[in-house]
Amino acid sequence: MSAERKASSIAAYLEHRGKLSAHFASAEDLERLPIVLTKDDLRRNYPWGLLCVPKEHVHQYHESFGTTGVPIASPLTREDLEAYVEEILLTPFDLGGGDLVLVRFPYAISVPAHLFHRAAQARGAAVVAASSYSAISPPARVLRLVEQLGVTVLTCLPFEAVRLAHFARWQGYEPGKHFRTLRAVCTAGEVLGPAMRRYIESLWGAPVHQFYGSTEAGNVAYSCGRGSLHLAEPFFRATVVDEPARSARRDGRPGTLVLTTLRKEALPLLKYDTEDWATLNPAETCGCGDAHAVLEILGRRGEHYDFASRSGKDGKLRLLHTSVKEAMYELALERGTSPFFRCVRTDERLVIRLESEAPDPAAERWLEQRLGVDVELLSVRPGSLVDMASLSATELVQKPKYCH
C-alpha cells in the first residue's frame, strides 16, 4: 500500500470513525481491508496528530517508553480508561475483597500500573502502589511490604518476578515458603512462555496469570486457568496475516498480529500492525470453556537470529529471541541453572553468557539439541549480570530542608 493511499485511508477513517457501521456491514468487510495503521504512523503523528476527540476530552495521557526513538502516544478519554480496566477484568482470576495487590509496574508515563490498580479496586481489593524499582521502593522494601502487610497478589513484569524472588533468596528467604499470604502473580509487559511461567510459579509457589497488551491498544488478552491467552473479543477484532503477502491466515500458523479496536475513542486503531508474531485459533482449541479465541504471542517481528540450516540443505533456520529465552528457562527448571543470561550471535554460533560457578558442557549440549544451532555456553561470575548487592543498596530519601 503506497504512503499516499495509507494516508488517505487514515484520514478517511478518522473522518468517518463514528460511522463505521455504515462502511463495514460485517466482520468480513473489515478483514478485507489492508493494514491501515502502523507503529511508524503513530510515531510520525506524535503526540496529537491522530487524536479523534477534542483535546479537552482527554482524561489521561500515557505513552510508550520510546526505546526505539519517538514514543507512541496514548491519549485516553474517561471511557477509554474504563474500557482498558474492563479488558483486565475479563480475567477468570478470582480477584476480590480481602485481596491486597502490590503493583510493581512503573506508574510514570506507562499504563499497566494504572490499569491493575483500578482493576483491583473495581473488584473490591486494596492496592499497595509500590511502583517499579526506585530509591523509594527498592526490592528489600517491597519484600518487607509483601511479608508484613500480607500481600496476596503481586503484579509485575515476568522478569521482575524472577529477579525479586532471587533477591529474596539472596537475603535468606525462600519465596514459596516465606511469603505465605501470596496466592498469585499477575504479569504483563513481556512475552511469557510456558517454561518461564512454570519457573516463576516454582519460585513463588503461586500460579501466574498472564496479560498481553500495549500502551496504544490496551489489554488485548488474558490467560485462562490452563495458561492459554484469550483475546478480549468484546474490545478487539484480530487477524493474523502472513508475510510478505499480508493476507489473513486461517490455518493457525504464525503471522503478524493485526488489531482493530472496537471501543476506543481518543485514538482508535484500524487494522493496526502490532509488529508482534502470533498465532490465532478458535476458542475450542483450549478446552477451558472460555468463548474467546486463543492467542499465542511468539515474539516481536524482526527479533530473531537467522542461521544456515544444519541439515546441509539450502535454507535458513530462524530462531526467535523468545525461543532462546524459553530454552534458558527450561534449562533452569531441568538443571537448576541461573535464569540470568545474555545472548549474542557470532558468525554461525550462538554465544550465551550464563551466571554460573563453573562451566557446564552438558548444559551446552542440551541447548544445542534444543535450539538446533551451535552454542557456546560461557560461565560468568554470579552477580556479574544481575548484581544482587547493588539491588540491596538503598538511598536515604528526604524532603528538602531549607532552614538549618
Side-chain angles (χ1 to χ4, degrees), residues 270-299:
L270 175 65
K271 296 302 290 287
Y272 174 61
D273 181 355
T274 65
E275 298 185 2
D276 283 336
W277 197 246
T279 65
L280 189 64
N281 287 287
E284 306 79 57
T285 58
C286 176
C288 71
D290 193 301
H292 297 155
V294 177
L295 179 65
E296 182 182 10
I297 304 299
L298 304 174

Side-chain angles (χ1 to χ4, degrees), residues 96-381:
D99 275 314
L100 185 57
V101 181
L102 188 142
V103 178
R104 188 59 170 163
F105 292 104
Y107 278 80
I109 298 298
S110 63
V111 75
H114 300 269
L115 302 189
F116 281 104
H117 189 125
R118 290 171 180 257
Q121 291 180 329
R123 287 272 181 91
V127 174
V128 181
S131 195
S132 57
Y133 179 89
S134 69
I136 297 174
S137 61
R141 185 174 192 176
V142 170
L143 293 176
R144 178 179 62 79
L145 291 170
V146 173
E147 179 185 14
Q148 295 183 359
L149 299 182
V151 167
T152 61
V153 180
L154 171 66
T155 69
C156 58
L157 288 164
F159 181 75
E160 177 63 10
V162 173
R163 184 173 65 171
L164 194 59
H166 276 268
F167 180 80
R169 284 182 172 179
W170 186 79
Q171 290 204 316
Y173 300 115
E174 185 55 47
K177 298 177 180 178
H178 193 86
F179 306 109
R180 295 185 180 277
T181 59
L182 191 73
R183 69 182 190 91
V185 178
C186 295
T187 68
E190 176 188 354
V191 176
L192 179 67
M196 190 178 190
R197 173 199 287 269
R198 293 196 307 273
Y199 188 78
I200 295 171
E201 290 176 339
S202 72
L203 290 174
W204 290 99
V208 172
H209 302 273
Q210 180 188 8
F211 297 82
Y212 161 75
S214 66
T215 302
E216 65 273 21
N219 191 70
V220 177
Y222 55 90
S223 64
C224 66
R226 294 192 174 190
S228 300
L229 279 175
H230 289 268
L231 180 68
E233 291 193 65
F235 301 89
F236 300 94
R237 186 164 300 282
T239 55
V240 168
V241 301
D242 67 357
E243 300 287 344
R246 295 274 172 130
S247 58
R249 282 200 181 281
R250 305 189 187 279
D251 52 9
R253 290 194 294 166
T256 295
L257 178 65
V258 176
L259 291 175
T260 294
T261 56
L262 302 179
R263 287 180 50 180
K264 282 198 72 177
E265 295 182 331
L267 207 167
L269 306 175
L270 175 65
K271 296 302 290 287
Y272 174 61
D273 181 355
T274 65
E275 298 185 2
D276 283 336
W277 197 246
T279 65
L280 189 64
N281 287 287
E284 306 79 57
T285 58
C286 176
C288 71
D290 193 301
H292 297 155
V294 177
L295 179 65
E296 182 182 10
I297 304 299
L298 304 174
R300 181 57 56 92
R301 189 177 69 223
E303 293 185 354
H304 60 262
Y305 302 111
D306 285 332
F307 292 92
S309 173
R310 296 180 78 181
S311 65
K313 299 178 181 179
D314 292 337
K316 292 188 295 186
L317 184 151
R318 175 156 291 180
L319 185 61
L320 298 175
H321 293 180
T322 49
S323 298
V324 177
K325 184 175 75 170
E326 268 294 279
M328 296 305 294
Y329 278 100
E330 288 177 20
L331 185 68
L333 285 166
E334 291 193 14
R335 301 180 59 85
T337 54
S338 169
F340 304 130
F341 72 95
R342 296 292 183 272
C343 177
V344 65
R345 178 191 165 180
T346 304
D347 297 324
E348 289 301 316
R349 174 176 293 184
L350 204 60
V351 179
I352 301 174
R353 297 160 58 223
L354 176 68
E355 288 194 1
S356 175
E357 296 288 355
D360 190 344
E364 183 175 271
R365 291 192 298 271
W366 186 93
L367 285 168
E368 287 188 333
Q369 187 173 32
R370 170 66 173 78
L371 297 173
V373 298
D374 292 333
V375 172
E376 182 178 4
L377 186 62
L378 302 178
S379 173
V380 299
R381 177 183 55 82

Side-chain angles (χ1 to χ4, degrees), residues 1-12 41 44:
M1 189 177 186
S2 68
E4 292 77 16
R5 286 187 59 198
K6 182 184 292 183
S8 176
S9 295
I10 294 171
D41 293 324
R44 279 195 296 270

